[in-house]
Amino acid sequence: MKQGDPMSRRQFMEVTVAGAAVAGVARSGSPAALSMPADTKLNVGVIGAGIRGLQDMESLLRTGANVAMVCDLYDGHLRRAQEIQANTPTTKDYHQVLSRKDIDAVLIATSDH
Ligand SMILES: NC(=O)c1ccc[n+]([C@@H]2O[C@H](COP(=O)([O-])OP(=O)(O)OC[C@H]3O[C@@H](n4cnc5c(N)ncnc54)[C@H](O)[C@@H]3O)[C@@H](O)[C@H]2O)c1
């Protein structure tokens, strides 16, 4: 990929995460190299939809992100997620979130244990 080429959301996240992992890159790198179209909507998965996960889900939605799938073991929390965003796909198996190629980032807010 050449600088200035449009990048997919997944490529954007990969580059951003990889960049953040390398000390100093974020400070010296060109923001243009990480640009993505302003109207791009991030697809986010949520694993663990308890107190924190649902709060963060609401924050994500306020930023304009799409919550593409929510995973929790408790039906009540999955129902609450669907009240927050109607028709959100839900699952009790987190592998289903992680295997979705269209999901750009995953928020994990499971219990500490
Ligand atoms: N509640 C807060 O104010 C707060 C603040 C800061 C950080 N945190 C951190 O956030 C995390 C979650 O805390 P919480 O208060 O939301 O707890 P919570 O118990 O309300 O929520 C955790 C959720 O994770 C789900 N879960 C557990 N194992 C799972 C699995 N294998 N697959 C799918 N879902 C699973 C549970 O069913 C539950 O709904 C913890 O690490 C906590 O320390 C919480």
Side-chain angles (χ1 to χ4, degrees):
M1 175 182 300
K2 296 193 308 272
Q3 185 169 348
D5 285 354
M7 64 172 56
S8 73
R9 289 168 296 181
R10 184 168 281 268
Q11 287 169 325
F12 175 81
M13 293 305 294
E14 285 169 359
V15 169
T16 305
V17 171
V22 179
V25 168
R27 283 191 298 276
S28 62
S30 159
L34 297 176
S35 66
M36 59 192 299
D39 61 351
T40 301
K41 202 165 187 161
L42 278 182
N43 269 334
V44 183
V46 175
I47 300 176
I51 296 170
R52 189 70 198 193
L54 290 173
Q55 260 179 11
D56 287 351
M57 175 179 167
E58 289 179 311
S59 299
L60 282 165
L61 292 170
R62 278 196 295 277
T63 70
N66 174 53
V67 174
M69 184 174 263
V70 173
C71 172
D72 201 282
L73 304 176
Y74 173 51
D75 287 326
H77 287 167
L78 296 177
R79 278 196 297 275
R80 180 72 192 115
Q82 288 181 324
E83 286 168 13
I84 292 170
Q85 181 185 254
N87 304 318
T88 303
T90 59
T91 178
K92 292 184 178 179
D93 177 4
Y94 70 87
H95 295 96
Q96 285 189 27
V97 178
L98 300 180
S99 65
R100 285 262 305 260
K101 295 293 179 211
D102 62 323
I103 289 183
D104 305 301
V106 178
L107 168 78
I108 302 175
T110 53
S111 343
D112 292 331
H113 60 279

